[in-house]
Amino acid sequence: MQPRPFVVRARRRELADTVTLELTGDAPLPFSPGQFNMLYAFGVGEIAISISGDPAQPEVLRHTVRAVGRVSEALCGLRRGEGVGVRGPYGTPWPVAEAEGLDVLVVAGGLGLAPLRPAILHLIRHRQRYGHLVMCYGARTPADVLYQRELARWQRAMQVEVTVDSPVSGWQGSVGVVTALLPRAAVDPARAVAMVCGPEIMMRFVTRDLLRMGLPPERIYLSMERNMKCAIGLCGHCQLGPAFLCKDGPVLPWSRLAPLLSVREL
Amino acid sequence: MLTEDGLEALVGALLRRGYRVIGPTVREGAIVLDEISSAAELPVGWTAEQEAGSYRLRRRADRARFGWAVGPHSAKRLLFPPSERLLSVRRSRGGLVVHGGVAQMPPQALLGARPCDLAAIAVQDRVLLGGAWADPAYQARRERLFVVAVNCGEAGGTCFCVSMGTGPAATAGFDLVLTELIDPDRGQPSYLIRAGTPAGQEVLAELAGRAATPAEVEAAAEVVARTAQSMGRRLDTAGLHQVLTGQPEHPRWQEVATRCLTCANCTLVCPTCFCHTVEDTSDLSGEHAERWRRWDSCFTLDFSYVHGGSVRPSVRARYRQWLTHKLATWIDQFGTSGCVGCGRCITWCPVGIDITEEVRALRGPGGSA
């Protein structure tokens, strides 16, 4: 319940409004891909941010944060050597263990790539345990493509497809929504696991298409976003029907989410 | 059996043990819970008339201390206060220095807890202590709480504890339990008192009571039987989970939304509503910050806010969330209903929305279940 003091070791600007913080504390913070921490900006507040680091390197805590509110702006403004409070890790992980022996289709939209990065690093590190690996990634513009240099590196180990909604001159890649990339994914739907993260509307359309492709609902995993305050299922804010998304999620299979997401404003 | 004076001795025994004694007392036109130092501060000769959206104190013809049903306060205030400091944080050269921990406070004795209040404490125990992460502040207060329960001699106008299986007689969760017996001729009360725990037994042994006669024991049983019979409201819980979760588009949700003001009163008076938020603040020097927890309500827009907007912008969705959580998904989450039938949400709703009436309507036409 109490934040542990961490210090900003490095800060890298990823996009115009997005930075990646590297944090170190008095002890490593082991985590599973897909889990999140509560990050506390001194005197400003605390928010849930997915861990975007490498699960094999828990001594460096990595978070990619986009400045959209008071707390995220404060976090993005932190400089090297400044303190930050960390509680976690919390929540359910991506099913990287259950996916062994199967194809894996990673679908990300915008900043949704950040929570998937630990899973991708895990999949690549243990490449031989999996079948085909594919990532489909959609961003608004070429300038919004996250982790650009890494995407090229990942391409050596997996099929990487990137699309943007609005191209600029010089963009040679795909244009359109991320669902348009799905038919290109070299996976066998009958023996594939999908890990999807992005805006909720994007995840709904991606799921619709994945189901049409023949992926079973229990193997389509989404990372859900709700207002998370306590992260331990006590404050009530993140409820989606019977689920507390902070502890029963954020990663849940479509088979559990479908009845809940079919109700407007649940 | 205790006399009126015996009640004073009970308060004295609790004070001598170092308890802050919290009991019902009249403040600003209502019977609320507050610290008391004498049994004289109990609401002697008062009752409260309650109806949907209405609460009025009235004089009684007798000297009863407990001749009323629940007021706006519940044990929630004692164990899970409306606001409390969770952390204090200092900025230093090496980063942040975080101080947490539960502040030391005197143990509390709750005098006059109703059976529905005991049930509500049991519900909050499940929520705040029963999961993987127990709430340390709640736990510290809860472990040291001494409870003097009172069986109900009056059904409030909005009570429905019989439907929820929580009253009007206390069966567990108390150190001592009282039943108030009123002499019909003189209007003078006496109290059948029984211990529920060794701690209660110890206090009881100090009081100058006498053994109850069989007639008095029988009279005490009649008191609660009469209360149960006179309860005006009921809530049918059979199949209720499906009625609520299975009909998210029932027209009644829209209808109740036209009356609900989203004022959050129902959640604040509810003895089990546990939703809370945290506020982080800093002082003017910018070197010292604190984190405070305070009660929150699913009726506010902010409650479900994520970047981009609220998940539940409509009143309909917020009322549906509250009622469905209280009576249905609470069971999925904690193995118990979130409602104990105390009727506070009915009384203190400024527009008189009645949870029992809403449930009846949701069972009616228009839905799919």
Side-chain angles (χ1 to χ4, degrees):
Chain A
M1 287 293 280
Q2 197 168 314
R4 282 164 53 185
F6 274 64
V7 170
V8 178
R9 193 183 78 164
R11 170 180 180 265
R12 185 173 48 253
R13 184 156 291 282
E14 301 280 4
L15 310 173
D17 57 358
T18 305
V19 303
T20 292
L21 299 171
E22 280 185 16
L23 310 172
T24 50
D26 46 9
L29 197 141
F31 69 96
S32 301
Q35 289 193 295
F36 66 93
N37 280 320
M38 297 301 294
L39 297 189
Y40 168 63
F42 178 78
V44 182
E46 190 185 52
I47 52 173
I49 302 283
S50 291
I51 304 171
S52 55
D54 186 345
Q57 295 181 332
E59 60 282 355
V60 181
L61 181 58
R62 218 175 120 134
H63 283 281
T64 298
V65 186
R66 188 164 70 182
V68 293
R70 230 159 26 90
V71 182
S72 54
E73 271 168 23
L75 290 170
C76 285
L78 287 173
R79 286 187 300 265
R80 222 184 116 149
E82 287 194 298
V84 57
V86 178
R87 288 196 294 135
Y90 296 120
T92 52
W94 294 113
V96 289
E98 295 87 327
E100 289 185 10
L102 301 171
D103 294 348
V104 181
L105 173 54
V106 174
V107 189
L111 203 64
L113 186 55
L116 283 162
R117 183 175 178 271
I120 293 167
L121 295 177
H122 179 94
L123 296 172
I124 292 176
R125 184 179 302 269
H126 304 286
R127 181 67 192 84
Q128 72 289 352
R129 296 185 193 166
Y130 301 95
H132 292 286
L133 296 183
V134 181
M135 185 187 74
C136 297
Y137 178 38
R140 270 178 298 186
T141 72
D144 293 311
V145 175
L146 201 59
Y147 308 143
Q148 293 211 20
R149 280 209 300 274
E150 273 190 295
L151 292 178
R153 210 177 317 141
W154 294 347
Q155 208 142 22
R156 295 201 287 269
M158 65 194 298
Q159 181 191 348
V160 174
E161 302 283 346
V162 180
T163 185
V164 297
D165 296 343
S166 322
V168 291
S169 65
W171 173 255
Q172 311 252 309
S174 304
V175 176
V177 291
V178 72
T179 44
L181 299 176
L182 298 178
R184 295 189 211 163
V187 294
D188 175 1
R191 30 172 289 117
V193 171
M195 304 180 192
V196 187
C197 186
E200 199 166 303
I201 183 74
M202 163 264 176
M203 293 199 288
R204 286 172 185 267
F205 280 106
V206 167
T207 302
R208 186 195 64 182
D209 286 13
L210 294 177
L211 291 169
R212 283 181 187 162
M213 281 165 63
L215 264 85
E218 64 275 12
R219 287 215 302 270
I220 301 171
Y221 287 83
L222 275 57
S223 182
M224 297 297 297
E225 184 187 11
R226 283 294 181 275
N227 186 352
M228 292 172 193
K229 284 266 181 197
C230 75
I232 55 177
L234 294 183
C235 80
H237 287 81
C238 68
Q239 288 178 83
L240 177 66
F244 289 103
L245 285 177
C246 67
K247 69 179 172 100
D248 301 322
V251 176
L252 284 169
W254 182 251
S255 48
R256 266 197 80 188
L257 288 169
L260 304 173
L261 291 182
S262 68
V263 180
R264 277 180 69 92
E265 293 188 52
L266 191 66
Chain B
M1 291 297 299
L2 294 182
T3 60
E4 286 179 289
D5 292 342
L7 222 45
E8 192 65 75
L10 172 60
V11 173
L14 295 171
L15 289 172
R16 272 199 307 283
R17 280 176 162 66
Y19 287 108
R20 263 185 85 207
V21 179
I22 314 290
T25 190
V26 174
R27 297 253 190 287
E28 295 171 357
I31 297 170
V32 299
L33 294 178
D34 206 345
E35 187 162 4
I36 59 170
S37 55
S38 157
E41 294 174 61
L42 295 172
V44 185
W46 285 104
T47 192
E49 286 175 3
Q50 303 196 40
E51 251 316 314
S54 143
Y55 179 99
R56 290 287 178 275
L57 288 186
R58 294 275 182 259
R59 272 290 174 194
R60 294 175 61 95
D62 55 33
R63 293 174 48 76
R65 268 69 168 176
F66 302 103
W68 43 275
V70 293
H73 291 171
S74 70
K76 180 166 89 168
R77 299 180 70 79
L78 278 64
L79 299 171
F80 186 72
S83 74
E84 70 179 309
R85 192 175 70 182
L86 295 181
L87 295 176
S88 112
V89 188
R90 196 162 46 78
R91 186 148 54 178
S92 80
R93 271 196 307 281
L96 305 184
V97 183
V98 181
H99 294 284
V102 181
Q104 276 302 311
M105 59 212 116
Q108 305 177 99
L110 174 57
L111 173 59
R114 299 297 184 170
C116 59
D117 290 325
L118 305 180
I121 293 173
V123 170
Q124 285 222 313
D125 283 352
R126 280 191 185 225
V127 173
L128 294 165
L129 302 178
W133 287 277
D135 185 84
Y138 180 87
Q139 187 162 25
R141 294 193 185 89
R142 179 71 181 91
E143 281 168 355
R144 301 198 298 164
L145 180 72
F146 188 96
V147 177
V148 183
V150 181
N151 289 322
C152 289
E154 291 266 334
T158 55
C159 292
F160 56 101
C161 67
V162 171
S163 298
M164 305 312 290
T166 59
T171 54
F174 54 81
D175 295 292
L176 290 168
V177 62
L178 302 169
T179 308
E180 188 168 54
L181 301 174
I182 311 285
D183 180 323
D185 302 324
R186 293 184 300 149
Q188 192 176 16
S190 59
Y191 298 91
L192 180 73
I193 183 165
R194 186 162 61 84
T197 61
Q201 190 64 52
E202 204 181 291
V203 172
L204 184 54
E206 277 178 34
L207 307 178
R210 60 166 176 83
T213 64
E216 285 166 334
V217 173
E218 198 179 317
E222 269 169 31
V223 165
V224 289
R226 214 169 39 237
T227 304
Q229 276 160 18
S230 63
M231 203 156 291
R233 278 180 165 77
R234 57 186 296 275
L235 189 147
D236 180 7
T237 56
L240 188 52
H241 190 285
Q242 182 57 28
V243 168
L244 295 170
T245 60
Q247 309 187 96
E249 308 303 330
H250 194 291
R252 185 67 178 194
W253 298 120
Q254 186 53 49
E255 194 283 329
V256 68
T258 63
R259 289 176 285 138
C260 175
L261 307 176
T262 68
C263 71
N265 263 15
C266 51
T267 55
L268 299 180
V269 294
C270 177
T272 67
C273 271
F274 59 87
C275 287
H276 59 271
T277 187
V278 289
E279 278 178 357
D280 287 285
T281 59
S282 64
D283 66 6
L284 287 174
S285 75
E287 297 308 309
H288 176 256
E290 292 187 341
R291 171 169 303 165
W292 285 74
R293 165 163 80 186
R294 63 174 179 79
W295 291 353
D296 201 356
S297 171
C298 53
F299 280 97
T300 71
L301 265 178
D302 255 5
F303 186 82
S304 62
Y305 183 85
V306 288
H307 172 60
S310 270
V311 174
R312 299 182 203 101
S314 72
V315 176
R316 168 181 172 274
R318 280 177 267 157
Y319 189 85
R320 185 179 66 192
Q321 165 64 22
W322 179 69
L323 195 70
T324 306
H325 183 218
K326 185 65 54 190
L327 296 172
T329 51
W330 202 298
I331 300 170
D332 303 321
Q333 294 167 349
F334 305 108
T336 173
S337 172
C339 178
V340 296
C342 71
R344 287 182 178 94
C345 60
I346 306 172
T347 299
W348 298 95
C349 174
V351 296
I353 295 172
D354 179 343
I355 187 171
T356 66
E357 186 187 329
E358 295 314 310
V359 165
R360 243 190 328 277
L362 285 159
R363 287 180 182 281
S368 53

